[in-house]
Amino acid sequence: MKKINVDQSWKSKGWQNVNKLFLIMLVLTMIIPIWNTFVISISSNISSMQPGIKLWPTEFSLEGYHTIWSKMELWRPFVNNMIVTMLGTIFHVFLASMAGYVLIQDKLPGKKILVTLIILTMVIPEEAIMIPLYVVNKQLGLLNTLTSLVIAGLVSGFSILLMHNFFLSISKDLAKSARIDGAGDFWIFTRIYLPIAKPGLATVLLFEFVSRWNQFTQPLLYISDSNKYTLQLALQSLVISSDATSSSDFFTPNVRMAGIMIALIPLVIIYPFVQKFFVKGIMLGSTKE
């Protein structure tokens, strides 16, 4: 009996070691490309053109960041991207939470039909409605404006149902007590439900922020004015220009990698602030019925 337990213990430890090795290799496949990008971005023009993976800069230089930010004016698409992401995320989180609050009301007429319609919107692929959305934006005169990018994806069935799920976990006795004291729905929503649902709000906020920051299809469709370019369109133009044979359009690898690192900075900054609520929100969302 003791021998069997010893064998099982060795097998368990062996399996754990295999899992650890696999996870380390998985992490390295994600970290090494980012680290290589960072090292090239802080290398000089000449050293960045040397082939191979770089784990340490041979000639430290910030000329790539200076070139991409000042000479190529990457600050302009960066600001455009920030405006679209901030406004779009704030409106998206607020509207999704309001819709989720409405759906938990017991006396809401046609609740099942509304939920069915919301789920139906999640089934339709985004590519299927690209042309109709383009036509609508054109008719409204929103092409070549940042407003079209803010409006795109302003609400989503996934976020609404996620917030609806979180609000269901809150005791309705709180709302009943507030109503007895004369509170209205807006007061109950903003003073009771929103503060308690911080994990859900953080989850929706992080998903939407990352999605909007990396948004590419909508800017490609709606924006043709280079002054209104967002970051992803500017980076695409940078890559296309770097493939050009003309020497005036050629950009060294450190310039391109500096652009990629600048695009990553806001995502790296925001994650630590919402990490605690985000992990809690994911765990709560996965255990709700």
Side-chain angles (χ1 to χ4, degrees):
M1 186 68 178
K2 188 175 181 180
K3 185 180 179 181
I4 294 175
N5 289 336
V6 171
D7 290 342
Q8 289 179 342
S9 175
W10 274 104
K11 287 181 180 177
S12 176
K13 288 183 179 178
W15 180 243
Q16 288 181 3
N17 290 332
V18 170
N19 280 337
K20 290 177 182 176
L21 182 62
F22 176 75
L23 288 175
I24 291 172
M25 293 175 64
L26 191 63
V27 170
L28 288 177
T29 59
M30 291 183 283
I31 289 181
I32 288 179
I34 296 176
W35 181 252
N36 179 56
T37 302
F38 173 69
V39 170
I40 294 176
S41 72
I42 58 173
S43 300
S44 63
N45 290 341
I46 296 177
S47 64
S48 70
M49 297 177 69
Q50 297 173 355
I53 297 175
K54 301 180 187 304
L55 299 179
W56 195 256
T58 52
E59 293 180 16
F60 177 79
S61 173
L62 296 178
E63 54 189 335
Y65 287 92
H66 177 70
T67 302
I68 192 78
W69 190 259
S70 302
K71 294 183 180 178
M72 298 187 60
E73 297 185 339
L74 191 70
W75 61 268
R76 196 188 304 276
F78 186 90
V79 171
N80 290 340
N81 218 48
M82 187 61 75
I83 292 172
V84 170
T85 302
M86 295 294 289
L87 290 179
T89 302
I90 291 172
F91 286 133
H92 182 94
V93 173
F94 187 68
L95 292 175
S97 56
M98 284 185 71
Y101 175 76
V102 170
L103 287 178
I104 66 169
Q105 304 304 314
D106 294 329
K107 297 181 181 179
L108 178 67
K111 186 197 292 188
K112 290 185 178 180
I113 297 175
L114 287 174
V115 173
T116 303
L117 290 174
I118 291 172
I119 294 174
L120 190 62
T121 62
M122 298 168 63
V123 180
I124 301 173
E126 187 178 346
E127 291 76 9
I129 57 174
M130 282 171 48
I131 302 302
L133 287 177
Y134 176 84
V135 173
V136 170
N137 276 281
K138 185 177 181 182
Q139 291 176 343
L140 293 176
L142 294 177
L143 294 182
N144 272 325
T145 64
L146 297 182
T147 306
S148 63
L149 303 180
V150 173
I151 292 176
L154 203 57
V155 291
S156 77
F158 173 77
S159 299
I160 292 173
L161 294 180
L162 193 63
M163 291 309 303
H164 166 260
N165 205 20
F166 275 98
F167 288 149
L168 282 179
S169 66
I170 300 173
S171 173
K172 292 184 178 179
D173 292 336
L174 295 173
K176 289 179 182 176
S177 300
R179 283 198 174 89
I180 292 173
D181 293 335
D185 275 313
F186 188 74
W187 192 94
I188 295 171
F189 170 65
T190 55
R191 301 296 181 87
I192 296 179
Y193 277 84
L194 286 186
I196 296 177
K198 283 181 181 175
L201 294 172
T203 305
V204 175
L205 184 146
L206 187 60
F207 278 136
E208 187 62 17
F209 188 92
V210 174
S211 172
R212 283 187 177 272
W213 186 259
N214 295 321
Q215 200 175 48
F216 178 73
T217 306
Q218 288 82 0
L220 188 65
L221 277 175
Y222 304 149
I223 305 297
S224 57
D225 183 358
S226 60
N227 289 326
K228 304 289 178 56
Y229 273 10
T230 57
L231 206 49
Q232 307 307 326
L233 282 183
L235 291 178
Q236 186 217 24
S237 301
L238 183 66
V239 173
I240 292 175
S241 299
S242 299
D243 291 336
T245 54
S246 172
S247 59
S248 60
D249 294 331
F250 179 75
F251 299 106
T252 52
N254 61 335
V255 176
R256 282 177 281 165
M257 298 306 172
I260 294 172
M261 292 309 300
I262 290 174
L264 289 177
I265 289 174
L267 301 180
V268 175
I269 291 176
I270 190 176
Y271 184 72
F273 292 100
V274 298
Q275 181 188 16
K276 186 177 78 173
F277 297 113
F278 177 71
V279 173
K280 189 176 178 181
I282 289 292
M283 295 301 294
L284 285 174
S286 64
T287 56
K288 295 290 184 297
E289 293 181 357

